[in-house]
């Protein structure tokens, strides 16, 4: 029994132990093009056993650009793609050279973590256009140990080439790439666990990305031990699966229905993806067991996610990503670790922009002022309050698979530049997008989760249809103004966009913006539009950039004056956007 005066000593002892405790370790597993909506996670029993059942599944997690390289740069910098301006997989608009040119190689998450006292490791695919020619010019920054898959071999499942710690690339021809990455991950893990410092290790296998060997995108290859699996699997026959009527807008609305040959090919394509993921599933077990064997599992966060989602036959589309539809942007995120709910599903709205801030918080570091996101909540008590995800895309659509590839020749998918917005709250669950052709889409995701009834088209625009008690016209006016803020937001204007429109802070979310008193203010906002479809972020082709700010009059009037108010003209204020940051 402890006497009363021993208690303070006990507490001092305890807090000293806490101070001395190592910062938590972080394992970050990122697959390539893994879907949530085709149910791939259901076919990964070890991910379920070691991660989902022991951690939290974020059912509303989104990527902000549905394309590998821009999404990964967004992830590892915590900045929106319109701020990184890394928007494509290759120069001039993206790829590793653009990432380096923009100065991020010395200023992104692994560098910050090293400064925070971490050993950092990475194996697998970092970015596209990271090649056997530029891997050491410069070497990717910020890693204690690295072994990177390099182009043009990145997506060749049995012909990988990797560069270890900046050295000359080595061929792994004949070995199964995801298995090679698993072995390398285990090696780095042993190295990390042998050192005193806390560690961060990112594991980035290519599964279930398409095989890209001969310039085209064919079904992914799997290891022979998984060849007999999932022979009965078919892509879920949701309402948007190869629908009888065309859906969507722009090039998607022009797609012909897929015939039975293509559907059969696509189902097999999906089975190949599930088989390719089995190597990753086994790797997850290997990682968690090693952490447990070393007694550090309880002080380690394990993240599992993908760079972007994937569609197969939805909206009549060939396999691929690059779209704003839910299949492409709502992606797996599972986290386990200290303070993270066990066996929980969170419906907080989170995005890849939030993960670098989350990891910095885990590392006990101050959040950077230029982060465009916020740390994600780890349990229901921490419930996040962000209702929006800002989605953007520049460039082509990329149809994959044998039949999809045929469409390339026609340049059919050229005009795939768009802005989109996901907005989720108690009484609304919306997807709004504006294409570079000026076409718009609005889906009520509660009543139409398949995104088949575009409420923004005149045929569907019904005066009786209400969302959160207001009709579509008023809803769109708010969504468009919010998009106007988000499409060029920086830092706090990304996390708190309503404050840009309403600086006093009296309008903090979509329902408060829907007030009838604000109808004129929102109707008269400049609208999001494009003058041209570009393949990159050419701001001159992206229409008005700055919304009117409520309560800030033009010039001397001092107030935003609504129509009819004291006989004055309706005026808005073109804010200085440098003031937003
Ligand atoms: C596409 O890939 C397949 C399988 O890898 C190959 O047989 C075919 O020749 C390729 N087609 C083109 C146009 O490169
Ligand atoms: C099905 O569609 C594909 C792709 O357009 C085409 O190549 C093929 O000839 C079609 N097959 C049949 C049986 O119509
Ligand atoms: C989109 O709308 C804007 C504003 O009305 C117009 O200036 C622009 O030319 C349109 N763009 C296209 C691609 O039609
Ligand atoms: C792409 O959009 C432009 C407008 O920017 C339009 O003139 C052109 O016809 C579109 N091309 C296709 C293939 O839809
Ligand atoms: C983004 O990069 C492209 C290619 O370098 C450049 O043309 C464009 O102006 C940049 N956009 C912005 C907004 O800086």
């Amino acid at each position: 029994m402890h006497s009363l005066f021993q208690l303070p000593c006990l507490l001092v002892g305890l807090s000293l132990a806490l101070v001395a405790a190592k910062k938590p370790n972080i394992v970050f597993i990122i697959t390539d093009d893994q879907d949530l909506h085709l149910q791939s996670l259901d076919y990964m029993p070890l991910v379920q056993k070691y991660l989902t059942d022991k951690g939290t599944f974020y059912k509303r997690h989104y990527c902000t650009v549905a394309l590998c390289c821009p999404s990964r740069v967004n992830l590892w910098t915590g900045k929106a793609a319109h701020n990184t301006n890394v928007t494509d997989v290759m120069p001039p608009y993206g790829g590793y050279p653009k990432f380096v040119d923009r100065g991020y190689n010395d200023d992104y998450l692994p560098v910050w973590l090293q400064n925070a006292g971490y050993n950092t490791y990475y194996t697998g695919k970092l970015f596209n256009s990271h090649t056997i020619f530029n891997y050491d010019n410069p070497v990717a920054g910020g890693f204690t140990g690295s072994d990177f898959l390099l182009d043009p071999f990145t997506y060749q499942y049995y012909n990988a080439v990797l560069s270890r710690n900046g050295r000359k690339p080595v061929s792994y021809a004949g070995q199964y790439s995801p298995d090679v990455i698993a072995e390398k991950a285990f090696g780095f893990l042993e190295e990390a666990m042998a050192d005193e410092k806390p560690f961060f290790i990112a594991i980035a296998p290519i599964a279930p990305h398409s095989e890209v060997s001969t310039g085209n995108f064919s079904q992914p290859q799997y290891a022979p031990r998984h060849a007999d699996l999932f022979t009965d699997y078919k892509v879920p026959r949701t309402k948007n699966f190869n629908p009888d009527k065309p859906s969507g807008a722009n090039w998607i609305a022009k797609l012909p229905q897929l015939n039975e040959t293509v559907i059969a090919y696509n189902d097999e394509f999906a089975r190949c993806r599930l088989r390719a993921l089995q190597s990753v599933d086994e790797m997850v077990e290997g990682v968690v067991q090693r952490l447990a064997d070393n007694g550090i599992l309880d002080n380690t966060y394990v993240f599992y996610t993908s760079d972007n989602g994937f569609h197969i036959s939805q909206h009549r589309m060939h396999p691929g990503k690059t779209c704003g539809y839910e299949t492409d942007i709502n992606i797996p995120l599972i986290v386990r670790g200290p303070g993270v709910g066990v066996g929980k599903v969170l419906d907080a709205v989170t995005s890849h922009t939030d993960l670098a801030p989350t990891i910095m918080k885990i590392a006990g570091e101050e959040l950077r002022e230029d982060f465009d996101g916020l740390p994600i909540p780890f349990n229901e008590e921490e419930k996040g309050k962000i209702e929006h995800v800002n989605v953007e895309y520049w460039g082509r659509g990329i149809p994959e698979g044998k039949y999809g590839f045929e469409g390339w020749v026609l340049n059919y998918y050229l005009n795939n530049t768009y802005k989109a917005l996901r907005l989720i709250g108690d009484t609304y669950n919306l997807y709004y997008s504006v294409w570079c052709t000026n076409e718009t889409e609005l889906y009520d995701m509660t009543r139409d989760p398949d995104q088949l009834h575009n409420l923004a088209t005149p045929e569907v625009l019904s005066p009786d249809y209400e969302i959160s008690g207001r009709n579509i016209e008023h809803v769109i006016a708010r969504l468009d103004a919010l998009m106007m803020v988000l499409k060029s937001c920086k830092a706090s204007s990304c996390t708190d966009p309503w404050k840009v429109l309403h600086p006093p802070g009296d309008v903090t979310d979509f329902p408060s913006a829907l007030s009838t008193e604000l109808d004129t203010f929102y109707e008269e906002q400049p609208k999001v539009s494009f003058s041209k479809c570009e393949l990159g972020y050419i701001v001159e082709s992206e229409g008005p950039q700055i919304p009117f700010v409520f309560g800030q009059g033009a010039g001397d009037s001092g107030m935003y004056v609504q129509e009819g108010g004291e006989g004055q003209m309706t005026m808005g204020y073109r804010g200085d956007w440098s003031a937003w940051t």
Side-chain angles (χ1 to χ4, degrees), residues 198-347:
F199 62 83
F200 166 86
I201 171 168
I203 308 170
I206 53 164
H209 194 284
S210 298
E211 166 89 14
V212 188
S213 316
T214 48
N216 65 18
F217 288 63
S218 45
Q219 56 202 30
Q221 298 194 43
Y222 42 80
R225 65 184 184 281
H226 302 129
D228 299 333
L229 295 175
F230 316 127
T231 47
D232 294 335
Y233 172 86
K234 281 185 174 175
V235 174
R237 277 8 186 201
T238 45
K239 283 185 197 155
N240 60 10
F241 181 90
N242 198 28
D244 289 338
K245 276 195 259 168
S247 48
N250 195 2
W251 59 268
I252 297 131
K254 294 181 199 127
L255 292 173
Q257 199 168 23
L258 304 170
N259 64 32
E260 280 177 24
T261 314
V262 178
I263 293 296
Y265 172 84
N266 284 358
D267 280 331
E268 177 59 14
F269 192 101
R271 290 189 280 271
C272 293
R273 285 166 49 86
L274 296 179
R275 292 173 195 137
L277 281 169
Q278 297 313 298
S279 168
V280 179
D281 202 41
E282 293 163 4
M283 179 268 287
V284 168
E285 177 170 66
V287 165
V288 174
Q289 281 181 345
R290 279 168 178 78
L291 294 169
D293 291 349
N294 273 267
I296 58 167
L297 183 56
D298 289 345
N299 194 34
T300 302
Y301 286 88
V302 183
F303 287 74
Y304 184 95
T305 191
S306 172
D307 48 7
N308 49 255
F310 210 71
H311 56 251
I312 300 179
S313 310
Q314 292 78 27
H315 304 280
R316 303 179 166 187
M317 289 192 285
H318 292 289
K321 57 260 186 186
T322 76
C323 292
Y325 300 114
E326 204 71 348
T327 44
D328 295 27
I329 60 171
N330 182 206
I331 59 176
L333 176 68
I334 308 158
V335 185
R336 72 170 284 173
V340 182
V342 174
K344 299 285 185 196
V345 177
L346 271 194
D347 57 11

Side-chain angles (χ1 to χ4, degrees), residues 85 92-93 98 537-539:
N85 198 14
Y93 299 119
K98 175 92 180 184
Y537 182 26
I538 309 302
V539 76

Side-chain angles (χ1 to χ4, degrees), residues 341-364:
V342 174
K344 299 285 185 196
V345 177
L346 271 194
D347 57 11
V349 179
T350 61
S351 87
H352 267 9
T353 315
D354 301 323
L355 296 184
T358 304
I359 291 170
M360 289 300 270
K361 186 180 167 193
I362 290 172

Side-chain angles (χ1 to χ4, degrees), residues 244-558:
D244 289 338
K245 276 195 259 168
S247 48
N250 195 2
W251 59 268
I252 297 131
K254 294 181 199 127
L255 292 173
Q257 199 168 23
L258 304 170
N259 64 32
E260 280 177 24
T261 314
V262 178
I263 293 296
Y265 172 84
N266 284 358
D267 280 331
E268 177 59 14
F269 192 101
R271 290 189 280 271
C272 293
R273 285 166 49 86
L274 296 179
R275 292 173 195 137
L277 281 169
Q278 297 313 298
S279 168
V280 179
D281 202 41
E282 293 163 4
M283 179 268 287
V284 168
E285 177 170 66
V287 165
V288 174
Q289 281 181 345
R290 279 168 178 78
L291 294 169
D293 291 349
N294 273 267
I296 58 167
L297 183 56
D298 289 345
N299 194 34
T300 302
Y301 286 88
V302 183
F303 287 74
Y304 184 95
T305 191
S306 172
D307 48 7
N308 49 255
F310 210 71
H311 56 251
I312 300 179
S313 310
Q314 292 78 27
H315 304 280
R316 303 179 166 187
M317 289 192 285
H318 292 289
K321 57 260 186 186
T322 76
C323 292
Y325 300 114
E326 204 71 348
T327 44
D328 295 27
I329 60 171
N330 182 206
I331 59 176
L333 176 68
I334 308 158
V335 185
R336 72 170 284 173
V340 182
V342 174
K344 299 285 185 196
V345 177
L346 271 194
D347 57 11
V349 179
T350 61
S351 87
H352 267 9
T353 315
D354 301 323
L355 296 184
T358 304
I359 291 170
M360 289 300 270
K361 186 180 167 193
I362 290 172
E365 293 294 296
E366 294 273 312
L367 296 184
R368 298 170 56 89
E369 285 187 359
D370 59 355
F371 273 149
D372 295 333
L374 290 171
I376 64 171
F378 281 153
N379 49 58
E380 270 140 13
E381 289 70 49
E382 292 178 22
K383 206 170 172 35
K385 59 178 168 44
I386 292 181
E387 58 175 353
H388 67 272
V389 180
N390 180 36
V391 176
E392 36 199 9
Y393 193 92
W394 296 264
R396 290 181 170 79
I398 307 172
E400 303 181 16
K402 184 162 67 175
Y403 298 102
F405 196 69
E406 294 172 358
W408 271 81
V409 193
L410 305 172
N411 259 344
Y412 201 57
Y413 308 91
L414 202 58
N415 289 345
N416 196 53
T417 295
Y418 58 84
K419 315 276 176 205
L421 178 63
R422 277 295 272 119
L423 199 70
I424 306 172
D426 292 339
T427 59
Y428 50 97
N429 183 4
L430 305 172
Y431 173 85
Y432 176 64
S433 73
V434 179
W435 290 86
C436 61
T437 55
N438 282 348
E439 286 160 274
T440 58
E441 285 174 274
L442 172 66
Y443 300 104
D444 181 341
M445 302 296 289
T446 303
R447 284 180 266 186
D448 179 23
D450 291 278
Q451 299 175 291
L452 291 173
H453 306 286
N454 181 3
L455 298 171
T457 51
E459 312 87 81
V460 185
L461 202 57
S462 145
D464 304 331
Y465 199 102
E466 289 193 347
I467 290 165
S468 302
R470 300 303 311 275
N471 68 30
I472 299 300
E473 176 194 343
H474 296 304
V475 165
I476 290 180
R478 271 62 172 187
L479 295 174
D480 202 272
L482 184 61
M483 180 180 279
M484 181 67 78
V485 175
L486 290 171
K487 75 182 181 132
S488 60
C489 70
K490 284 192 172 73
S492 65
S493 61
C494 296
T495 53
D496 201 1
W498 294 109
K499 196 148 192 197
V500 173
L501 298 161
H502 302 274
D506 49 338
V507 172
T508 53
D509 55 14
F510 180 62
S512 48
L514 280 175
S515 157
T516 50
E517 284 158 31
L518 299 173
D519 284 354
T520 312
F521 171 69
Y522 278 103
E523 270 151 34
E524 295 182 347
Q525 287 286 349
K527 303 298 173 202
V528 175
S529 70
F530 293 81
S531 49
K532 206 173 153 216
C533 287
E534 302 275 8
L535 296 177
Y537 182 26
I538 309 302
V539 76
E540 296 74 25
S541 301
E542 299 201 355
Q545 295 293 317
I546 302 171
F548 296 153
V549 175
F550 192 82
Q552 288 187 18
D556 28 280
S557 83

